[in-house]
Amino acid sequence: MKFILDKYYEKTKGFYPFFKYCPKKYWEHYIKKRANDVLGYDYNYLNPTTFNEKVRWLIYNEKPDIKSKLSDKISVKSYVAEKIGPNHTAELYGVWNNFDEIDFSCLPTSFALKANHGWKMNIIVKNKRFIYKNYNGIRRLTNEWLKINYEHYSLEPQYRHIKRKLFAEYLRFETIDHSTFRCDFKVHCFNEKPLFIEIPFYYDKESTSFYHDFQFYNTNWELQPFSCISQVVDTPLKKPELFDEMLEYAKVLCEGFSYVRIDFAPCKGNLHVCEMSFTPHSAMMPFVPSDYDYILGKMLKIQ
């Protein structure tokens, strides 16, 4: 069995659907193996010191049911509305159990079609003729999304009990500094306090988006000397107009959590909360330089 699992791990790099078929008694072994592949070290569960080790520790030792609700991209909207107001999430156009339930004639010309229970499960629809032209392929893709238990990507139990749905919401698209990139603001909150703002730049081309670069700022909007995945880009951006409001909203939303990342997006002079994440990069966030995994770990206090 171990020989077969090792071969399957090499084939999948430990990502879905590896843990779907891996017996639970081997989960800890292979999650450590994947951490070693990504981060260059095994997790220390008994004495966590790095940022990623502490986030992994919180996965297993801090398990309020609220994390499951807030990891659901539909139910998080009601939480945000209760905490900071109903105008801080994208308008919801509809929720469905499967693709066949969707009546596209009732949707606007442009929208985002998403699943509520994971990552990279979205289709940017700038014109719904795109749906009609690719109907069968999109139907297959979205129904495949609904089969996925996202916990099996990296053992993140907050996804286990989310009832899987498709939904459509208002399509946002804005740029900063008049560039060809669009960006969101990901506010990392440690011990109920916003500390860092991560900015992933996206290059957009015909409904396909992918990361280009990352920058991190502190709450004084000072560019930090570390990044994630890519090398540090040392050209600072202009401070966003709604930056102070963003930090105030983050302070309210992060109450009660040892760690949470709150993602904001600018929208017509307002701020939308896109999601709340408790396990960024599945607790395998490769910092550049790698020393910052330890430096940020010292800042995160766990019980």
Side-chain angles (χ1 to χ4, degrees):
M1 171 64 75
K2 187 67 165 48
F3 174 80
I4 294 172
L5 287 172
D6 283 346
K7 292 295 185 182
Y8 192 41
Y9 175 89
E10 293 301 323
K11 180 179 179 181
T12 61
K13 302 299 181 183
F15 284 90
Y16 191 84
F18 177 79
F19 286 105
K20 179 179 180 180
Y21 300 109
C22 178
K24 288 189 176 182
K25 66 180 180 179
Y26 294 114
W27 279 11
E28 183 175 329
H29 168 76
Y30 283 105
I31 204 69
K32 284 185 175 181
K33 180 174 174 61
R34 197 166 87 193
N36 194 291
D37 291 345
V38 175
L39 302 172
Y41 62 86
D42 290 338
Y43 284 131
N44 184 338
Y45 289 109
L46 299 179
N47 184 30
T49 57
T50 70
F51 171 81
N52 285 294
E53 285 175 336
K54 289 185 176 182
V55 171
R56 177 59 57 178
W57 186 93
L58 289 170
I59 289 175
Y60 300 124
N61 293 279
E62 186 181 78
K63 304 178 181 179
D65 292 339
I66 189 66
K67 286 188 177 182
S68 183
K69 175 182 178 180
L70 301 186
S71 297
D72 182 329
K73 292 179 174 59
I74 298 172
S75 61
V76 71
K77 291 177 180 290
S78 60
Y79 182 85
V80 171
E82 178 184 340
K83 289 288 186 178
I84 63 172
N87 60 327
H88 293 296
T89 61
E91 181 182 355
L92 186 65
Y93 295 139
V95 178
W96 307 278
N97 293 308
N98 56 63
F99 184 82
D100 293 333
E101 292 183 358
I102 305 174
D103 182 356
F104 288 100
S105 67
C106 296
L107 294 178
T109 300
S110 63
F111 54 89
L113 180 62
K114 303 180 178 182
N116 67 325
H117 65 289
W119 181 57
K120 284 190 173 181
M121 298 182 186
N122 55 78
I123 299 173
I124 304 303
V125 182
K126 295 180 180 179
N127 190 307
K128 62 184 176 183
R129 286 179 297 180
F130 172 78
I131 296 287
Y132 299 133
K133 290 179 180 178
N134 301 276
Y135 191 88
N136 290 332
I138 294 173
R139 181 178 183 274
R140 285 193 298 270
L141 176 62
T142 53
N143 286 334
E144 282 299 315
W145 291 346
L146 297 175
K147 296 177 184 178
I148 295 174
N149 178 351
Y150 202 75
E151 182 190 16
H152 293 151
Y153 270 90
S154 49
L155 309 188
E156 297 170 276
Q158 69 267 31
Y159 292 105
R160 183 187 306 158
H161 300 299
I162 295 176
K163 190 171 182 181
R164 302 166 206 166
K165 302 279 187 178
L166 298 176
F167 69 101
E169 67 177 15
Y170 173 78
L171 178 62
R172 292 179 298 262
F173 187 86
E174 295 200 15
T175 63
I176 57 174
D177 286 355
H178 305 287
S179 70
T180 57
F181 300 102
R182 65 186 178 90
C183 105
D184 302 330
F185 304 94
K186 301 176 181 292
V187 183
H188 294 259
C189 303
F190 291 31
N191 308 112
E192 303 184 88
K193 182 180 179 181
L195 282 190
F196 296 103
I197 299 86
E198 172 191 351
I199 297 186
F201 297 92
Y202 302 89
Y203 175 73
D204 184 87
K205 184 179 180 180
E206 296 180 358
S207 302
T208 302
S209 299
F210 57 90
Y211 291 123
H212 179 75
D213 278 314
F214 295 83
Q215 286 184 338
F216 284 79
Y217 294 81
N218 64 15
T219 53
N220 294 319
W221 197 251
E222 296 168 333
L223 182 61
Q224 299 299 286
F226 65 89
S227 183
C228 169
I229 302 175
S230 60
Q231 294 298 316
V232 177
V233 179
D234 58 5
T235 303
L237 297 169
K238 182 181 178 181
K239 180 180 175 179
E241 292 183 2
L242 297 174
F243 182 67
D244 293 336
E245 290 91 332
M246 185 193 311
L247 294 184
E248 288 302 316
Y249 296 146
K251 286 178 185 178
V252 174
L253 293 170
C254 73
E255 290 177 356
F257 301 109
S258 298
Y259 171 81
V260 63
R261 192 196 74 202
I262 304 168
D263 296 0
F264 293 90
C267 183
K268 296 182 178 179
N270 192 12
L271 285 169
H272 283 175
V273 175
C274 306
E275 66 175 293
M276 296 177 67
S277 176
F278 300 94
T279 49
H281 294 257
S282 307
M284 295 182 192
M285 192 168 181
F287 289 98
V288 181
S290 60
D291 290 352
Y292 278 86
D293 198 356
Y294 295 88
I295 294 171
L296 269 63
K298 291 180 181 178
M299 299 179 184
L300 178 58
K301 309 302 180 184
I302 59 177
Q303 299 292 329

